[in-house]
Amino acid sequence: MSNESTASSNFIEDIIESDIRNNKNNGEVVTRFPPEPNGYLHIGHAKSICLNFGLAKKYKGRCHLRFDDTNPGKEDVEYVDSIMEDVKWLGFDWGRHLYYASDYFDRLYDYAVQLIKEGKAYVCDLNADEIRKYRGTLKEPGKESPYRNRSVEENLDLFARMKAGEFANGERVLRAKIDMKSGNINMRDPVIYRIQKSEHHRTGNIWCIYPMYDFTHCLSDSLEEITHSICTLEFENNRPLYDWVLDELKVKRHPQQIEFARLNLNYTVMSKRRLLELVKGGYVKGWDDPRMPTISGLRRRGFTPEAIRDFCERIGVAKADSVVDIALLEHCLREDLNRRAARVMAVLRPVKVIIDNYPEGKTEDLQAENNPEDALAGTRMIPFSRELYIEEEDFMENPPKKYFRLSLGQEVRLKHAYIIKCKRIVKDEKTGQVNELHCSYDPKTKSGSSEENRKVKGTLHWVSAQHAADAEVRLYEHLFSKENPDSGEEDYKKNINPLSFELLTGCKVEPSLLNVKHGTNYQFLRQGYFCVDPDSSGKMPVFNRTVSLRDTWAKIKKKEGK
Ligand code: ATP
Ligand code: MG
């Protein structure tokens, strides 16, 4: 269903529409996308971005971009910048609504003081290990901290001194005073402030205590007057704490937290911790390695924002976790690229063809259509001459039956050009490798001309040897060879696909591919979709294979009769 439609299409839209009908929040819809700037965004984040910005658009509200930057040790401006770039590239706009949790540090501190004054928070001297032991388990209730009943005055004094830097990391924390016997472990006096003496990328060294996620998130939502705070399922058990903080502090705005199932994809890992390890450990070439599930990796690979948005819409929003087949993502991409990518000819593993009866020194310009799926895409001219390259695998000396490509004595059509017949093979005397294929052409078979008089089964792509440009081509497969590479049975890095990257140098591409713009998508005829890599130079274009032409998703659906 399209974004523009008014019918609700999932349970979150049902909630929002009911709220609008009841004039809750004056009928306003305000959402937010709250990344922690500790890594690059991935395709899972894209789902959350499309959902939050999509809802704001559909219900004429607004969506904030808020950096959840309360963890100075792990965060960096590099991540902040990349996140903004990726959200924009996906096609969304937060307008003037860019926020940082660190903007609220003063107010969050005041809220914490308010809790202390009301006897609802206390400074605790247990260390992290002890706190864990006292917390109990799902089956056993927790035990109260010996520091739980400190006086308000003592708590205020200690908290101020925590802020002033008098204590070491981990020496003391501030905890909410809730219920150590609660069935929900999150409610057993959770830590809401910790000491961490590290420099923050925005507040520098002003603070040495930092608020925890559960305290920060609900209050940031409330301060920004968010109406619907949408997050992934693992936060379901944090919702009572989200509500407790806002209720106890009697804030004016109490957003509703709604959980949905996160996106999981097969043949991929998606946790930021894992992705960081792949980058730092040199298993990939960076966050934007075209095999990474990051937005920047997908972009470099040649994915379009349209295809990613389409994918996010098709997978929908559910309340139960599932794993989506990466073939669906590729299917959405092929559908989009099929409409927009110009068809060109590129020979990845070239072998020379010499047309003996074609005049030496002659060049013909042949007309080629740019995209049969796009009436406005027009045509271009491609040069044809006596010496050409075709794909090595398009010739076989001893072909099996029903081989319709080139072999001795067999005819094939050269796309946009003539029918040729192979007469003679020249091999390297030592290695036996085919060096040249000597052919003849039939001048009465020019494509599109009135003389074109017969058909043959095979059509090959080719380039003119003297006109072709040299190119480098990078082929990619799934980064992991196992569907579920991170099942916990073994180190997920053992499942990295050793064939996920193949470098082809010495490729020959048609001359229109010199000086092409980074990011442009092409279909190399018969080979797949390719995208111009930023490593390209004026003399040597570099192409990433985005995806092959084989659509396994469409095949699966056909089998299922859908
Ligand atoms: P990770 O768990 O991989 O370290 P995270 O979820 O903690 O990442 P955040 O920066 O906190 O990363 O995520 C920002 C927002 O994106 C959150 O609202 C989170 O729920 C959402 N999000 C993260 N991963 C996914 C996913 N796989 N599918 C849908 N939403 C996601
Ligand atoms: Mg998170």
Side-chain angles (χ1 to χ4, degrees), residues 115-116 118-122 175-178 244 248 250:
L115 280 184
I116 294 174
E118 292 174 15
K120 288 166 188 158
Y122 62 96
R175 297 176 71 175
K177 194 176 194 172
I178 310 180
W244 183 90
E248 295 302 323
K250 297 178 195 69

Side-chain angles (χ1 to χ4, degrees), residues 34-36 38 45 68 213 234-235 272:
E36 184 178 347
N38 60 354
H45 293 116
D68 201 349
Y213 173 87
E234 67 271 23
F235 291 101
K272 276 194 278 193

Side-chain angles (χ1 to χ4, degrees), residues 276-289:
L276 182 69
E277 189 182 12
L278 290 172
V279 172
K280 296 274 182 233
Y283 298 95
V284 295
K285 289 180 186 142
W287 286 100
D288 69 344
D289 185 302

